[in-house]
Amino acid sequence: MNMETRRAKILIVDDTPANVTLLTDLLEINGYLTVQATSGHEALDQLRRATPDLVLLDVRMPEMSGYEVCTRIREQPDTALLPVIMITAFDPAQERIHGIEAGADDFLSQPINQQELLARVRSLLRVKTLHDAVKAHAGELAEWNKKLEIRLSQEAKLAEVARSLADITHEVKNLIMPVVTGTELLEAELKELFAKLPQHERENGQASQNMCKEITEMLNNASQRIQERVKEIGDCVKNLSTPPNFSSCQVTGVVESVLKTLRLVANEKRILLRTEGLGSLPPIRADERRLFNVFYNLLNNAIPEVPSGGSVTVKGSVEPDSKNIIFSVADTGRGMSSEVRESLFTNRVISRKHGGTGLGTRIVKDVVDAHGGWIKVESEEGKGTTFVFSLPFEQPRQDAINA
Ligand SMILES: Nc1ncnc2c1ncn2[C@@H]1O[C@H](COP(=O)(O)OP(=O)(O)OP(=O)(O)O)[C@@H](O)[C@H]1O
Ligand SMILES: [Mg+2]
């Protein structure tokens, strides 16, 4: 409740009881609440207990003078801005100087003019109301600021989580592919194997055949579900990526592990996966896991586009007089339309793939950018596609990236 809706409370401090009674009557008749003190110590005590809105303070009091009380009022943070009117009896000019030094807001000389007293009380209470409002707003503002800070830090954390999730999701989606293909191959292989068995052995092995069928079905179902769920997550966190973690890295090793993961799928389609010139490349500072993603995405994109008998070739060479290694992933596939080609590396990627998110090439570009390289694509429908990108030997320091 503020002072506009409640009665203001005034502390009257005077060692002469007759003066206290006079001021109490005058203020209460005019609608104010009052509390009284007849010494400086009592006044300080009332300030704590009654929390008045204004103090009428007699200057001349034994033990503790009005000046001293006023100085103490100003020293306390809670009462530093509390309006104080000093009541002076002798040599008003001299007492005012002391009063101003002690922090008084206004002065009244005895004998007191009642109208003047009421006018000054009203005026100082108006100022107090404004002070109180400013204080309340400052408190609210500080509270909002605190809430905003907490929200911003929560949002930053959330964005970081979302970025990591985008990355992991795409990786899981890619890595589940060999499981799907492997299961299909296993199913076909087992079927052929059981079909080749002589009649009597086939009958004996019926239970194993059923069990194998059940297992491959279970693998198929589970991996299909994982693909669906992961695609849902991918859709939620699209367009986000995490900052890289640089260390010394041999690209040839990274490409070999990508080829190992995809070889089964490629062999099944009779597609040759080859490398050229990677063994002689110097080590570079790179995020190895991200680099795996780059090659994995490019090869994984190429394989479904290449007809049986075709190939995908990963090449690497050091650019003469430069600090870059130039890589290319070239396939002999169907190529892509200019519409698809122009949409690559942008927010409006066109995905022609069943279950595709269009995140793959975006991630590739993000990683290459984060390593300070560039990427381009050349593609001709019916002839094939080549992704070419550069990676500098030296990468920016991790702390510079995170700054
Ligand atoms: N080597 C390529 N040959 C022909 N088309 C390609 C090749 N690489 C990419 N594309 C085309 O670019 C599209 C976008 O590729 P991107 O990797 O961004 O997404 P996606 O492969 O469709 O989905 P995801 O990466 O989530 O599996 C592909 O759908 C495909 O049409
Ligand atoms: Mg892809």
Side-chain angles (χ1 to χ4, degrees), residues 351-378:
S351 173
R352 293 261 185 260
K353 203 183 288 174
H354 175 69
T357 62
L359 259 177
T361 50
R362 269 294 304 279
I363 289 177
V364 170
K365 168 125 173 64
D366 283 351
V367 176
V368 172
D369 283 351
H371 283 73
W374 49 257
I375 184 163
K376 61 181 181 177
V377 60
E378 292 151 12

Side-chain angles (χ1 to χ4, degrees), residues 170 297 301 353 360-361:
H170 198 260
N297 274 302
N301 277 347
K353 203 183 288 174
T361 50

Side-chain angles (χ1 to χ4, degrees), residues 255-283:
V255 175
E256 275 313 320
S257 52
V258 171
L259 295 187
K260 209 165 146 192
T261 323
L262 289 171
R263 190 143 267 146
L264 190 70
V265 185
N267 286 350
E268 176 58 16
K269 287 193 69 189
R270 295 210 316 110
I271 295 169
L272 185 63
L273 302 182
R274 298 187 305 173
T275 63
E276 262 182 53
L278 299 184
S280 55
L281 295 176

